[in-house]
Amino acid sequence: MENLFNFGRMSHLVSPSILTANFANLQAEVEMLNQSQADWIHVDVMDGVFVPNISFGFPVVKSINKYAQKPLDVHLMIVEPDRYLEEFKEAGAAGITVHYEACTHLNRTIQKIKELGCRAGVAINPHTPVALLEDVIADVDMVLIMSVNPGFGGQKFIQNTYKKIREVKQLSATRNPGLYIEIDGGVDQNNVAELLQAGANVLVAGNSVFSAANPVAAISQLKNS
Ligand code: DX5
Ligand code: ZN
């Protein structure tokens, strides 16, 4: 049940990752998310170059968007994302997140995402220090902290993430207090409280939602934590 007595605390967002959904019946999976307390739908695009896995491209994103009643939170794990920003916008992306490690001219990429009318995010891999975001933090709408090495769902959460959340929170406090701080990888019932306490305000969850006996209830649990 919705926590009706949770006055005063900014509620966090839940963005279930479609990567772990049943691809043979994506329409049903998207309709399940429509009925749930999910705020966004996290869409993981992998190119087999930036990460050692290939997921899907534009036709699948378009198909998801056809049925989605929630904003698509598109996470690009691809090299040279600049080449495809317009097409992802066309495919239905409300937000586009690119990897710090994949962008030579990150400032330009961020500006382009914003010009397209999308929420602009930058993601950092587990080995990338938060300090490198110093000169981009004021320009982005979201920082995505990878809490696993990108490429696959269902991996083990990396504990060093808590420290990085606190660092992003501190870095954004004066320069971008409205920043979305999204955590991606290994998020579940066991770490949600600590993640929120550290300063996360958007939770991505793949395996813990889609492998649950009741995915709608799993989403509610993350949302009402
Ligand atoms: C990993 C992806 C994640 C992944 C999360 O490269 O970016 O979004 O789907 O899945 P879980 O929650 O299963 O770790
Ligand atoms: Zn992701």
Side-chain angles (χ1 to χ4, degrees):
M1 193 186 135
E2 188 88 39
N3 184 356
L4 299 173
F5 304 101
N6 199 8
F7 298 119
R9 186 162 72 83
M10 196 189 99
S11 154
H12 57 275
L13 306 182
V14 177
S15 188
S17 166
I18 203 89
L19 186 67
T20 321
N22 175 8
F23 283 9
N25 200 351
L26 263 182
Q27 182 180 346
E29 298 283 49
V30 172
E31 283 168 353
M32 178 278 287
L33 295 176
N34 288 341
Q35 299 309 314
S36 77
Q37 283 190 288
D39 296 282
W40 298 344
I41 298 177
H42 189 80
V43 177
D44 288 304
V45 177
M46 303 178 180
D47 65 355
V49 179
F50 182 70
V51 288
N53 194 12
I54 298 175
S55 58
F56 46 75
F58 308 118
V60 174
V61 180
K62 279 185 190 151
S63 301
I64 294 167
N65 191 48
K66 187 170 169 194
Y67 297 103
Q69 291 165 6
K70 320 242 172 171
L72 299 191
D73 170 34
V74 175
H75 177 193
L76 298 182
M77 285 161 275
I78 65 175
V79 296
E80 298 185 46
D82 305 65
R83 294 169 62 191
Y84 302 107
L85 298 175
E86 272 153 30
E87 276 159 289
F88 280 110
K89 160 72 182 173
E90 285 297 302
I96 299 178
T97 298
V98 294
H99 266 263
Y100 176 90
E101 303 85 1
C103 296
T104 309
H105 302 288
L106 182 58
N107 184 282
R108 178 183 290 151
T109 309
I110 295 299
Q111 299 314 327
K112 193 165 170 194
I113 295 172
K114 287 181 159 178
E115 280 164 26
L116 290 170
C118 293
R119 176 179 42 69
V122 61
I124 51 170
N125 280 335
H127 73 276
T128 302
V130 168
L132 290 172
L133 298 176
E134 190 178 341
D135 290 330
V136 80
I137 197 94
D139 300 319
V140 292
D141 300 302
M142 183 166 86
V143 168
L144 183 161
I145 302 172
M146 284 305 312
S147 38
V148 298
N149 285 293
F152 305 94
Q155 300 181 84
K156 192 168 175 281
F157 178 85
I158 295 172
Q159 296 293 321
N160 190 49
T161 306
Y162 298 118
K163 183 201 82 166
K164 293 177 83 169
I165 299 170
R166 288 191 289 271
E167 288 172 353
V168 171
K169 179 93 179 148
Q170 200 175 10
L171 195 60
S172 65
T174 50
R175 285 183 257 186
N176 193 348
L179 184 75
Y180 288 118
I181 304 176
E182 183 173 62
I183 310 307
D184 188 3
V187 173
D188 62 21
Q189 265 317 301
N190 301 318
N191 53 28
V192 59
E194 204 170 341
L195 289 170
L196 296 174
Q197 202 179 8
N201 53 27
V202 186
L203 303 174
V204 174
N207 193 50
S208 68
V209 165
F210 287 95
S211 300
N214 184 342
V216 171
I219 292 166
S220 292
Q221 278 188 333
L222 291 172
K223 182 68 182 173
N224 298 309
S225 289

